[in-house]
Amino acid sequence: MTTTTMQTKTASAQRKSFKSPDETRAFKGKGKLELVKFGDTPFARATFEPGWRWSENVKPIAQTDSCQTNHLGYVLEGRMHIKHNDGTEIDVGPGDAFVVAPGHDAWVVGNEPMVSVEFQGAANYAKPS
């Protein structure tokens, strides 16, 4: 029996910039999600404008009663309030790392955009189903 080994070459280091994202998804009227992808691994920068609310600006895209994405991210600027279906509520702001399970609504707090980087949850977020 003969065994064949396939070798693939992968770069030992890669860089991409959010200045030229691989994909951009607009939220309905108030912000956007920019994705850079390394193979099947997406990283996202999300910009939520003042007045943004998941139930108003992403629900029409997702077509679910609440956000069903599991988020793992880091806040660069601005503030967001997150209210989970089980009643749990948190605020996140600059310098905060966060994890949020599926089943929540969220909205920008204050008059400045909330900008975050997401390490998990970006693949299907704000993508029409």
Side-chain angles (χ1 to χ4, degrees):
M1 176 179 241
T2 305
T3 303
T4 304
T5 303
M6 179 187 283
Q7 294 183 355
T8 59
K9 183 176 180 176
T10 55
S12 57
Q14 296 180 46
R15 176 185 70 80
K16 290 193 172 188
S17 174
F18 283 112
K19 292 179 184 177
S20 302
D22 294 316
E23 182 181 350
T24 301
R25 298 179 195 152
F27 302 141
K28 189 175 178 181
K30 295 193 183 284
K32 62 187 173 185
L33 182 80
E34 299 162 298
L35 291 144
V36 294
K37 300 174 186 174
F38 296 94
D40 292 335
T41 304
F43 291 86
R45 177 175 65 185
T47 303
F48 306 92
E49 300 295 336
W52 177 92
R53 186 176 185 123
W54 184 91
S55 55
E56 296 172 10
N57 302 104
V58 180
K59 182 178 180 174
I61 299 165
Q63 298 181 359
T64 56
D65 289 336
S66 61
C67 181
Q68 295 302 305
T69 299
N70 186 51
H71 300 275
L72 174 64
Y74 179 79
V75 180
L76 299 170
E77 59 187 71
R79 300 197 68 73
M80 182 173 284
H81 185 81
I82 301 159
K83 183 174 183 179
H84 209 273
N85 293 350
D86 69 4
T88 305
E89 297 186 50
I90 63 168
D91 285 319
V92 295
D96 289 342
F98 60 89
V99 61
V100 180
H104 57 272
D105 193 5
W107 54 90
V108 172
V109 175
N111 295 321
E112 66 179 84
M114 189 277 211
V115 180
S116 64
V117 177
E118 294 228 2
F119 306 103
Q120 181 181 354
N124 294 312
Y125 188 75
K127 190 174 188 176
S129 48

